[in-house]
Amino acid sequence: MMLRSTLCAVAAMMTVGLMGCGEQPKYYRVSIDRSNLSSMPGSCYSSGTAPTPNDRTTNTVDVEQWVLWDGVEDQKYLAVGDVTYALGDALVDIDVGDAIVSTKADKPTFTAERTRTGPNRVSRATYTLDKVGETLQGTIALSYECTGSTGCPVANCSASLNFVGRRLTAEPMVVVSNDSEN
């Protein structure tokens, strides 16, 4: 009788514990198709004309590892690392830090923005997840805007990149140290 009570108590605690924790972080190996960046319009170059490519590599993708997890109040978090893309002579360069917080939308959407002055420049990267599960699929919308009388390589430029990913089987590991340097 006591064994049965103990098993019921353990099962109840595990059920409550799992319900309260939410899903653990998902790790993805993601390939990003950057081919759109090799054919930017002339307006994305300070000369007004796109250069003739002398050296071009085809049929390749960039590969990154991303982490996606649930937060509170229906928000999600996406860790992609720092964002750096050249849009012709414009540069989308954003120090993301640890993660981007989702906006409340039909599809999980994550926008990181960096504003600089002298001249005023705004770089933006918006990650839209069209499919989330064992596979990940979506787009990265990149934009650069510059206003000011001097110092702007270009006024505005934008591009959209497609990505696909596969969920990795991984166990998160947290290392806790109790030394004086931490």
Side-chain angles (χ1 to χ4, degrees):
M1 181 71 154
M2 186 166 171
L3 178 60
R4 177 184 251 177
S5 317
T6 304
L7 288 176
C8 287
V10 169
M13 286 175 41
M14 287 178 63
T15 301
V16 170
L18 290 174
M19 288 173 53
C21 294
E23 192 168 350
Q24 292 298 316
K26 297 175 188 173
Y27 297 82
Y28 289 93
R29 189 78 166 166
V30 179
S31 64
I32 303 166
D33 181 1
R34 296 176 66 123
S35 61
N36 289 348
L37 299 179
S38 65
S39 58
M40 298 301 296
S43 60
C44 291
Y45 296 90
S46 57
S47 67
T49 314
T52 305
N54 295 327
D55 185 5
R56 182 184 296 198
T57 303
T58 59
N59 200 30
T60 63
V61 294
D62 284 350
V63 178
E64 296 181 1
Q65 184 169 304
W66 295 354
V67 183
L68 175 67
W69 69 97
D70 294 332
V72 295
E73 298 178 8
D74 295 326
Q75 290 183 317
K76 295 185 180 301
Y77 296 89
L78 179 65
V80 297
D82 291 339
V83 178
T84 306
Y85 292 97
L87 306 179
D89 288 336
L91 182 64
V92 174
D93 184 19
I94 305 169
D95 298 328
V96 172
D98 291 332
I100 308 168
V101 182
S102 67
T103 55
K104 294 184 181 185
D106 293 340
K107 298 177 184 179
T109 304
F110 305 82
T111 301
E113 183 175 284
R114 181 176 186 181
T115 303
R116 297 179 183 175
T117 58
N120 296 327
R121 296 162 287 168
V122 178
S123 295
R124 185 176 300 113
T126 301
Y127 294 75
T128 303
L129 307 183
D130 296 323
K131 183 177 180 183
V132 179
E134 289 304 307
T135 58
L136 188 68
Q137 188 172 0
T139 57
I140 307 169
L142 303 167
S143 67
Y144 174 89
E145 300 169 16
C146 186
T147 57
S149 58
T150 61
C152 291
V154 297
N156 299 303
C157 196
S158 62
S160 183
L161 309 179
N162 295 318
F163 64 82
V164 294
R166 170 78 53 193
R167 188 170 177 184
L168 300 174
T169 303
E171 292 295 323
M173 183 172 87
V174 177
V175 177
V176 178
S177 175
N178 192 21
D179 63 18
S180 61
E181 294 178 14
N182 288 333

